[in-house]
Amino acid sequence: SGTKTMTGYSFKSVGVTIALTPGTPPALSQTAYRWFENQDATTSSTYIKSFASTGFTNMKRYAVRPTSDGGYVTAGYILVSTQQLGYISKHAANGTVTWMRSWRYGAIDTTFNDVTATSDGGYVAVGTTNSQLLLVKYDSSGALSWSRVWKNNASAGGASGSSVAELTDGSIVVGGRSTQDINSYAAVVKYNASGTFQWSREW
């Protein structure tokens, strides 16, 4: 508190450190995080037990989104032996795994970076495989509806997907990155509800 003075020098870069008094943290809901961290010793973690029995050696989760039934859908990747597979999993409101699906492009490492529920009861996940932007659609039961990959037309081009959203007309828009040689661009790609490519923009 009070007035503070900092003496600087005529360099191009000046680092500043500011210390703030910590406030009171918000109260945590036990049911909101016990499935993911298992910090509640009085309640067993169905979520962690379910995933421990599926036979993979490692996993990373990059997205957790709510669903209309009060549950959750998550996405990321799992490591099976030396193969990296993108995965999507559906969970009930109590954290129980309803279903889980994995996807990869041959022997190429694949990951999903984002996922969202769609108005038809399904789910779309976006990520990266074989240096291409990957978009995959599943129905409510976890059956694969369609998959799409995209990259720019440059001979040395590539792409990756980082976010996905459904528009009011049911079409899907994806945000990510496009590369050409040593240059990198922000990219937006749009598909209709059936997975038909509409357009792409790079900036």
Side-chain angles (χ1 to χ4, degrees):
S1 62
T3 301
K4 303 297 180 183
T5 301
M6 181 184 74
T7 301
Y9 299 91
S10 59
F11 296 134
K12 291 183 178 180
S13 300
V14 176
V16 179
T17 301
I18 299 175
L20 302 177
T21 302
T24 302
L28 295 177
S29 167
Q30 291 290 313
T31 58
Y33 72 90
R34 65 162 60 109
W35 307 318
F36 304 97
E37 297 297 341
N38 198 24
Q39 294 179 10
D40 183 357
T42 64
T43 304
S44 63
S45 176
T46 302
Y47 184 89
I48 293 177
K49 287 182 179 178
S50 297
F51 272 71
S53 63
T54 54
F56 51 83
T57 57
N58 194 11
M59 73 176 298
K60 285 193 177 181
R61 183 182 303 108
Y62 292 126
V64 180
R65 306 293 182 211
T67 55
S68 59
D69 60 0
Y72 304 86
V73 61
T74 79
Y77 77 78
I78 58 175
L79 194 65
V80 179
S81 184
T82 60
Q83 293 295 310
Q84 181 176 307
L85 290 73
Y87 88 87
I88 174 174
S89 61
K90 175 66 178 68
H91 302 261
N94 64 359
T96 301
V97 178
T98 305
W99 50 260
M100 177 180 176
R101 302 291 182 265
S102 59
W103 198 100
R104 72 179 177 188
Y105 182 88
I108 304 299
D109 285 350
T110 300
T111 186
F112 288 130
N113 295 317
D114 196 16
V115 64
T116 190
T118 53
S119 56
D120 62 0
Y123 308 92
V124 285
V126 67
T128 307
T129 189
N130 198 30
S131 298
Q132 300 174 92
L133 182 152
L134 168 66
L135 182 66
V136 179
K137 174 73 163 57
Y138 294 91
D139 67 13
S140 59
S141 62
L144 178 67
S145 299
W146 47 259
S147 63
R148 302 290 184 266
V149 290
W150 177 90
K151 69 174 183 177
N152 58 50
N153 293 324
S155 59
S160 60
S162 56
S163 61
V164 61
E166 182 188 37
L167 305 184
T168 55
D169 63 356
S171 59
I172 305 298
V173 63
V174 177
R177 185 180 69 166
S178 172
T179 57
Q180 299 183 34
D181 299 320
I182 62 173
N183 299 312
S184 182
Y185 302 84
V188 178
V189 187
K190 185 182 179 186
Y191 296 84
N192 68 13
S194 300
T196 301
F197 173 80
Q198 302 290 288
W199 50 256
S200 64
R201 300 291 186 269
E202 297 168 81
W203 181 87

